Amino acid sequence: MHVTHTATPSPNRFSIIAGGAAQLTIDLTALRANWCYLNGRVGDGCTCSAVVKASAYGLGAAEAGRALFEAGARVFFVALPEEGIELRAELPLAEIFILNGLFHGREQLYRDFNLKPVLGSLEEVADWSSFARAENQQLGAALHFDTGMHRLGMAVSDAISLNASARALTGISVDLVMSHLACADTPDHPMNRKQLKRFLRICEQFPDARKSLSNSAGIFLGPEFQFDLVRPGIALYGGNPAPDTPNPMLPVAHIRAEIINLRDVPSGDSVGYGASRVTSRKSRIATINIGYADGLHRLVGNSDSNPNGARVFIGGHFAPLFGRVSMDMVAVDVTDIPTEHLVRGATIEVMGAHVSVDELANFAQTIPYELLCSLGARYTRHYKS
């Protein structure tokens, strides 16, 4: 991975920065602004945390973590203890929870790096309690209860039994009680109300602990879903937390590729592998230096039978991809783009201010989470602050 800290290049003029890789700019100012916006959406007494698992959704946990801490975030969530250790090196004062729970036999690791497991089973509770008692310490943790996802989390009945037991939570400081919404991005889905009702029953068993139910989309379901702490993830990185409404978040990840070749293709000739796309007119085709090795999903391409592929932005105009996405390159139909923007070395926005992560993910028939996490390692990365 190439990492630099240069400014974003001019959108229509290529600047020599580091070889021929496509450019990925992570706008840390936008990231901080997104956290501040979400923090402003929650009520008084509610904490806005930050989910930075999977290397901050592919954008770099260290850089993102520092920026979010500067913005005001003090509570962070990752999936794995290894991710927590990496983040701890950057943020010695942060509260860090491990969403995937207490991995068997790794209790010492959590204690040594001050990581709080999100305990999702009675077995995990027993192991963490036993370790804490052996260490003669009071160790922090979250208790995760399943209200309908059926992945991780204890049952409602487990909440009652834990509260009734005088020994089960010995040595554990219950710093958070949480669950996870399955359908928050569909506000009218009945599952949201069903999970809220179940979570309220659980909360009755732990009146003194902080409570958390909402992810990015859950924040927008209203105050009753926010409780004491919200856990935004995708919204921090520019994804739309409420897909059927205009996106209030700023784009954070900006991908720019370079025109490496321009050619005129006669009407009736094919472009790319499989001859899947044939020109219907004399066409100007630009080849740019990005492909599926960089995380540009093959499904964003197109064919004569399915011509509705993704688009890019150049010189104030949109231009459609043309044909299949290859490993290292993809063709763009620039026939309708003014010629002054069409020179070898010109940069093209593949994702960013004009082509959103949600739009590109839609063409890839996936979600922005997967798209961001799939960004390849060979981009020239710029952290803009």
Side-chain angles (χ1 to χ4, degrees), residues 109-132:
L109 190 68
Y110 289 72
R111 199 283 304 271
D112 288 349
F113 290 93
N114 191 19
L115 307 175
K116 297 183 178 182
V118 176
L119 304 173
S121 69
L122 292 177
E123 292 84 357
E124 289 181 38
V125 171
D127 286 349
W128 195 233
S129 174
S130 176
F131 178 77

Side-chain angles (χ1 to χ4, degrees), residues 78-95:
V78 294
L80 305 173
E82 291 86 347
E83 296 174 337
I85 292 169
E86 178 187 2
L87 191 63
R88 175 61 68 209
E90 303 294 333
L91 304 178
L93 301 180
E95 185 178 18

Side-chain angles (χ1 to χ4, degrees), residues 20 257-265 270-273 283-291 296 312 314 319-335 342-348 350:
E258 176 186 348
I259 293 178
I260 58 176
N261 184 268
L262 285 156
R263 67 181 58 231
D264 294 318
V265 178
S270 64
V271 175
Y273 280 120
S283 301
R284 189 74 165 150
I285 299 295
T287 301
I288 61 176
N289 62 329
I290 187 171
L296 188 67
V312 298
I314 178 171
L321 302 189
F322 199 85
R324 292 183 183 177
V325 176
S326 302
M327 182 183 290
D328 311 300
M329 62 192 79
V330 65
V332 179
D333 183 355
V334 294
T335 310
L342 303 178
V343 294
R344 189 169 65 90
T347 55
I348 291 180
V350 177

Side-chain angles (χ1 to χ4, degrees), residues 59-76:
L59 302 184
E63 294 82 1
R66 289 195 301 267
L68 290 163
F69 194 88
E70 290 168 4
R74 294 295 181 267
V75 184
F76 292 81

Side-chain angles (χ1 to χ4, degrees), residues 191-206:
M191 191 69 174
N192 294 321
R193 286 285 161 187
K194 183 183 295 185
Q195 288 191 262
L196 177 62
K197 183 178 179 180
R198 290 173 179 170
F199 189 61
L200 288 170
R201 289 177 57 199
I202 292 164
C203 291
E204 293 172 357
Q205 306 301 315
F206 304 95

Side-chain angles (χ1 to χ4, degrees), residues 168-249:
L169 294 172
T170 303
I172 298 177
S173 172
V174 180
D175 296 328
L176 186 69
V177 172
M178 59 174 281
S179 189
H180 190 62
L181 293 166
C183 304
D185 55 357
T186 308
D188 295 330
H189 199 291
M191 191 69 174
N192 294 321
R193 286 285 161 187
K194 183 183 295 185
Q195 288 191 262
L196 177 62
K197 183 178 179 180
R198 290 173 179 170
F199 189 61
L200 288 170
R201 289 177 57 199
I202 292 164
C203 291
E204 293 172 357
Q205 306 301 315
F206 304 95
D208 298 327
R210 288 175 296 174
K211 316 298 192 305
S212 179
L213 180 61
S214 289
N215 52 10
S216 291
I219 294 172
F220 293 81
L221 293 178
E224 62 185 320
F225 285 84
Q226 293 174 1
F227 291 92
D228 302 304
L229 183 144
V230 294
R231 311 186 307 272
I234 191 62
L236 293 173
Y237 309 105
N240 191 351
D244 293 331
T245 63
N247 189 359
M249 316 312 299

